[in-house]
Amino acid sequence: MATMRVVQVSTPNGPLELVERERPEPGPDTVRVAVDACGVCHSDSLTRMAAYPGIKLPRVPGHEVIGRVDAVGPSVEGWAVGQRVGVGWHGGYCSRCDPCRHGQFFACVTGPPVTGIAHDGGYGEYMIAPITSLARVPDALSATDAAPLMCAGVTTFNALRNSGARSGDLVAVHGLGGLGHLGVQFAAKMGFHTVAVARGADKAALATSLGADRYIDSTAEDPAAALAAMGGARIVLATITDNAAMSAMVGGLGIGGSLMVLGAPFEPLAVSALALIGARRSVQGWYSGMSIDSEETLAFSVRTGVRSMNEVLPLAQAAEGYDRMMSGKARFRVVLKMAR
Ligand SMILES: [Zn+2]
Ligand SMILES: [Zn+2]
């Protein structure tokens, strides 16, 4: 019997256990992916805590997957053994439900089809992936470089390119962690007037090296007032998880500006209705993206040199990597690399 090592969660908030399992065979419309690397994302906590609606344990987390097609299911066309592929948060779609029939495949309600939640993800040597979740991966990116782009990357890239901001507009990226350090790079490469906002004077040099035109230390000055003094931001890309600090950024938006919410605070946002009405400001959320969005994120990153800064660990140290990510100390993403 062919086996594989995976890291699974078997009880809510229980340990991340390294176990040996039988290597699964792909069914219709799926492939088996030999995983080369998988990023560790804050949303993996939804698997760890069994907090996502409908999740069943045991489950293998991981939705920043880079690997190679290892076997194809019956009737699969267009994907070949050996081809490099990536799998992100979006774990496929059915094409039959009402959102799919509206072309809103990301909102497919069958499943819900989230990688590492509805089906096992990439914390393992192999996984089964629906072909509707597969992105092509360029040779120019190593597996560990590409992995974080499958969630943190596509989330920031896709939010910015769908934000309505135009080249030259003032775009503030709030937070300089796993999402924010990519958001600043993408915003700068897209030609926005890019401002990074984070806590502490020590991050100024980092922000500049990532391409920010200006850095605002929120412990030294009020970031909303600073943005307002610059004319107001067209977009604040909110990547932090502090609800009060996120809410306060609405005051830094210009006319028609939008707070794009990517980070997920546990507590609700509190926003002044007058602040929204007076300048036609808005608050909107953004999900990550479809497989084609991931593919375009990878291609853009190759072309422009955008890269995630990663701490790489072997699969056996998944629990340590997860704790490091949750502690907020990782600089900036944690990536698990499979030994082959
Ligand atoms: Zn994620
Ligand atoms: Zn659907």
Side-chain angles (χ1 to χ4, degrees):
M1 180 181 80
T3 60
M4 63 176 184
R5 295 185 312 151
V6 300
V7 170
Q8 67 177 22
V9 177
S10 55
T11 55
N13 228 2
L16 288 161
E17 323 158 315
L18 183 65
V19 298
E20 194 150 299
R21 284 194 196 172
E22 187 177 346
R23 201 177 300 173
E25 293 300 326
D29 302 322
T30 66
V31 300
R32 184 170 66 210
V33 177
V35 180
D36 290 321
C38 183
V40 176
C41 179
H42 194 269
S43 303
D44 295 341
S45 60
L46 296 171
T47 306
R48 173 89 192 279
M49 298 189 287
Y52 201 89
I55 188 170
K56 293 192 181 74
L57 302 182
R59 183 60 74 226
V60 178
H63 57 267
E64 291 187 342
V65 189
I66 300 293
R68 284 163 288 114
V69 175
D70 179 63
V72 298
S75 77
V76 166
E77 290 177 13
W79 299 95
V81 171
Q83 189 173 1
R84 291 186 89 203
V85 289
V87 186
W89 172 261
H90 178 82
Y93 57 89
C94 75
S95 75
R96 295 183 303 274
C97 73
D98 286 357
C100 281
R101 292 167 65 214
H102 280 292
Q104 305 282 18
F105 300 108
F106 82 92
C108 177
V109 292
T110 306
V114 178
T115 309
I117 289 177
H119 49 261
D120 286 333
Y123 284 28
E125 292 171 327
Y126 296 88
M127 68 171 282
I128 300 294
I131 54 173
T132 49
S133 71
L134 297 176
R136 291 171 183 82
V137 177
D139 289 339
L141 283 175
S142 72
T144 49
D145 275 353
L149 299 174
M150 294 301 299
C151 181
V154 65
T155 299
T156 47
F157 175 78
N158 210 25
L160 285 168
R161 70 174 180 167
N162 285 288
S163 69
R166 299 187 305 169
S167 181
D169 282 353
L170 184 60
V171 169
V173 178
H174 193 192
L176 267 181
L179 286 170
H181 91 291
L182 286 165
V184 170
Q185 294 179 67
F186 284 127
K189 293 294 185 186
M190 288 176 184
F192 300 130
H193 180 182
T194 304
V195 176
V197 181
R199 295 172 57 82
D202 55 318
K203 301 204 180 72
L206 169 71
T208 305
S209 73
L210 295 172
D213 298 294
R214 181 174 167 195
Y215 175 68
I216 298 172
D217 170 8
S218 62
T219 64
E221 59 180 323
D222 174 357
L227 290 173
M230 295 174 77
R234 176 69 184 82
I235 296 294
V236 170
L237 199 70
T239 71
I240 62 170
T241 54
D242 176 334
N243 63 319
M246 193 187 282
S247 301
M249 293 300 278
V250 168
L253 295 171
I255 294 168
S258 181
L259 177 71
M260 287 194 89
V261 179
L262 306 186
F266 188 67
E267 298 295 329
L269 302 181
V271 176
S272 152
L274 284 178
L276 296 180
I277 294 167
R280 295 198 319 227
R281 299 174 175 121
S282 61
V283 177
Q284 68 166 317
W286 192 266
Y287 74 107
S288 59
M290 305 281 301
S291 61
I292 189 66
D293 298 309
S294 300
E295 206 167 299
E296 288 166 7
T297 303
L298 298 177
F300 185 91
S301 301
V302 167
R303 239 178 11 253
T304 60
V306 171
R307 292 293 184 277
S308 175
M309 298 178 186
N310 304 326
E311 298 179 0
V312 179
L313 292 172
L315 176 65
Q317 281 171 257
E320 187 184 326
Y322 176 88
D323 290 343
R324 179 124 180 102
M325 176 277 300
M326 289 301 280
S327 76
K329 293 197 184 100
R331 290 290 171 267
F332 287 88
R333 297 296 276 189
V334 174
V335 179
L336 304 175
K337 189 172 190 296
M338 308 308 146
R340 291 189 186 279

